Amino acid sequence: MLKIKQLIAQNIQKGILAINPAAELGVDELAGMLEYPPDAGMGDLALPCFKLSKTLRRAPVMIAQALAEGMDCACVESAQAVNGYLNIRLSPAYLTEHVLAQVLEKKEKYGAPTIGQGKKVVLDYSSPNVAKPFHIGHLGTTVIGHSLKKMHEFAGYECYGINYLGDWGTQFGKLILAYRTWGSKQMVVQGGIDTLVELYVKINNAITAEKEEGKTELADAARAEFHKMEMGDEENLALWKWFIQISLEEYEKTYAQLGITFDSYLGESFYTDKMPAQVQKLRDAGLLKLDDGASIVDLDEYGMPPCLILKRDGSTLYPTRDIAAAVYRKENLHFDKCIYVTSTQQILHFKQWFKVVELMGYDWYDQLVHIPYGTVSIGGAKLATRTGNVVLLRDLFGAAIEKVTEIMEEKNPEMKGRSDVAEAVGVGAIVFYYLTNNRIKDIDFNMDDALSFDGNTGPYVQYTYARSCSVLEKAGEMTGTDFVITAPEEQALLKVLATYEEKVLMALRDYEPSVITRFILDVAVAFNRFYHNCRILSESDERIKQTRIALTLATKHVLGSAFEMICLKKTEKI
Ligand code: ARG
């Protein structure tokens, strides 16, 4: 549609110059003014002419009239002036020749923008804290992060995904203490991450309890264990490595269900020896201030609380590590943009250390981007958890897969390979439901809504994809190349497909996967309307039939491409 908008804008520009030869309105600007009318009965595109009346010093009605009369563009079927709007109907022949032909030619690459060519983006996402549960709070960073990566890749960026594991810190001291107190090798080998999480929860509860009694024995002991790690104690470091190994194996299962891979797992521990140089730089620049023994960067001038760099005992903090990691990434990966995806709770943290990076004189500070998202809670279905009040991502996926299996067994008892499909649809339902919302909004998760096969859901769109595959399978080889559009549903579907590139650009601009999710719904709705109202395989006119098969194939390509962008698996059969 971008190209179509450009062509129409060129024509409008001519019309405008005829009205006023001195008017300076660029083609891009005019293309940007073209809107999609809320009601398709009004046309496919519209230009609100009141936006031009000041420049042209004419009434909008008059401008619309003149532009309609002067419209002469291959992609326009008709142009009408209505109440100061120029309403444009697109030519079906043009849509078939350009949009349909292009989708068939470019397949899943159709609609790919080129804005990222030659640029590199690093994305820091998922990043769970090892030994703490991987829970639904991580769903956002994981799927939004990956979706942003896919989107950037689609637009030509070279992308590098980092799972910045929280693999260092006092939690390991706690875990080691808990393991030595209550655990055993055999227990952890058998129970894996669940045992680790149980131990972690147990020690935390115990520490809270002793605190209430005014005691700090366990807390001190945990800190001592971590201190031993920092000093290079081999036994503790071996345990630490083992705990990370066990956690990673578990995470990998979840990532595989989502089809997610990372280019790097370099976590917090990796940056330990990279921090002193940055702390020194801060000190040399006179940016460090002592505050009750701790070293801080004062950000009062920028309306923020101070950024904490070193604790009183000289140990480093979360921002210190992030600064060192950013510098390391810039020097080694040479990014043009580095994106961090975390919950809104960390907005201040990122603002603060981004500012510190700027104050340190790094001229790439403005290439750092924080993308926050709202919180997730669970309503509706109750999920059993062994770990107190958190819902593990794994259990959420498990429950969804179980439900989908039940539904599918009812609907289609004989289907083969059901467990694969149930996993794709179950996990897909959760992801789709989550990514339909604006990322910044807090959401309350409702399992029944997410899993419905009829609503605006993952199962619905995956089912639509499978439907297109099944039509194509029955159709066999596609033979036609000479297409003709005869039904309004065909044209409506093509029009939706034609907006793909625009939607991708919009999603990129706003870092907003929900733009793609909603686009997928628009395609699914348009395709299903077409499917129900137009005969495809039983159509007797061969040219019409081939056109409809081609439209089905085009839908499959575009849906497939968009599914990949939001971590949704392409289900050929459901
Ligand atoms: N591990 C952190 C957490 O779970 C998120 C890390 C985000 N990335 C970063 N570079 N700070 O809260």
Side-chain angles (χ1 to χ4, degrees), residues 173-184:
K174 290 186 191 170
L175 191 59
I176 288 173
L177 178 65
Y179 173 76
R180 295 230 169 92
T181 315
W182 301 296
S184 69

Side-chain angles (χ1 to χ4, degrees), residues 7-19:
L7 291 173
I8 294 175
Q10 278 166 14
N11 204 272
I12 291 174
Q13 194 188 38
K14 268 196 225 151
I16 286 175
L17 289 174
I19 301 172

Side-chain angles (χ1 to χ4, degrees), residues 124 127 129 138 164 318 322 340 342 346 350:
D124 172 318
S127 312
N129 292 325
H138 294 102
Y164 181 66
Y318 188 43
D322 257 328
Y340 300 83
T342 78
Q346 297 194 28
F350 282 95

Side-chain angles (χ1 to χ4, degrees), residues 128 132-140 142 193-194 197 201 250-251 254 375-400 430 443-447:
K132 291 189 193 171
F134 195 23
H135 57 84
I136 54 161
H138 294 102
L139 180 65
T142 306
I193 195 158
D194 288 348
V197 170
V201 171
E250 180 68 24
Y251 301 154
T254 304
T375 56
V376 187
S377 53
I378 297 258
K382 291 265 172 290
L383 292 165
T385 68
R386 258 157 294 189
T387 47
N389 51 4
V390 296
V391 176
L392 299 185
L393 213 44
R394 185 193 60 196
D395 292 339
L396 182 66
F397 286 171
I430 307 269
I443 73 161
D444 184 36
F445 210 92
N446 184 312
M447 193 71 127

Side-chain angles (χ1 to χ4, degrees), residues 16 53 57 97 124 136 141 161 257 270 272 278 292 305 333 343 364 376 403 442 444 454 472 475 508 544 561 567:
I16 286 175
S53 57
R57 283 197 245 116
E97 226 169 277
D124 172 318
I136 54 161
T141 168
Q257 286 179 316
F270 177 76
T272 303
Q278 299 311 315
D292 196 19
L333 300 169
S343 80
W364 41 268
V376 187
K403 272 212 166 175
D442 292 340
D444 184 36
D454 314 309
L472 292 167
L508 278 164
I544 296 178
S561 159
C567 311

Side-chain angles (χ1 to χ4, degrees), residues 467 486-493 524-539 544 548 551-552:
R467 170 174 278 166
T486 48
E489 291 85 0
E490 298 167 319
Q491 169 136 349
L493 173 58
V525 168
F527 177 75
N528 285 319
R529 240 178 236 149
F530 154 74
Y531 178 86
H532 288 297
N533 294 323
C534 303
R535 279 194 301 264
I536 306 179
L537 299 174
S538 59
E539 170 59 47
I544 296 178
R548 291 182 177 166
L551 277 167
T552 307

